[in-house]
Amino acid sequence: VQIQAFADPAEASGNAKKLSLDRGMAVRQFLLDNGIEPYRIDLRALGAETDRAPLDRVDLLVLAGRKNG
């Protein structure tokens, strides 16, 4: 799972990267608490690096993994 966290710079008091990191960490903790192994989580705090609305959001991408054996 890749977590892509974003934050609207107007709402983040000039620190969109930190706010997006805080959001992403909260989602990561939720996944960990619900049984997802840490090595299966990739967190990307992207701040305001988006042109899609809403700017305040967290996207989860399920990436194809390798098959064992």
Side-chain angles (χ1 to χ4, degrees):
V1 176
Q2 184 177 86
I3 302 167
Q4 295 180 349
F6 302 91
D8 183 346
E11 302 295 323
S13 302
N15 201 346
K17 192 76 148 186
K18 179 170 180 348
L19 179 57
S20 68
L21 177 60
D22 292 346
R23 285 188 177 140
M25 292 296 291
V27 172
R28 179 181 183 276
Q29 190 60 54
F30 175 84
L31 294 173
L32 292 171
D33 290 347
N34 285 279
I36 305 297
E37 297 293 331
Y39 69 89
R40 300 185 73 189
I41 301 171
D42 176 29
L43 172 58
R44 310 258 169 127
L46 300 170
E49 297 177 27
T50 185
D51 56 357
R52 286 188 12 224
L55 298 179
D56 286 322
R57 71 176 195 277
V58 174
D59 295 340
L60 294 178
L61 293 117
V62 178
L63 306 174
R66 295 189 315 230
K67 286 188 176 183
N68 292 331

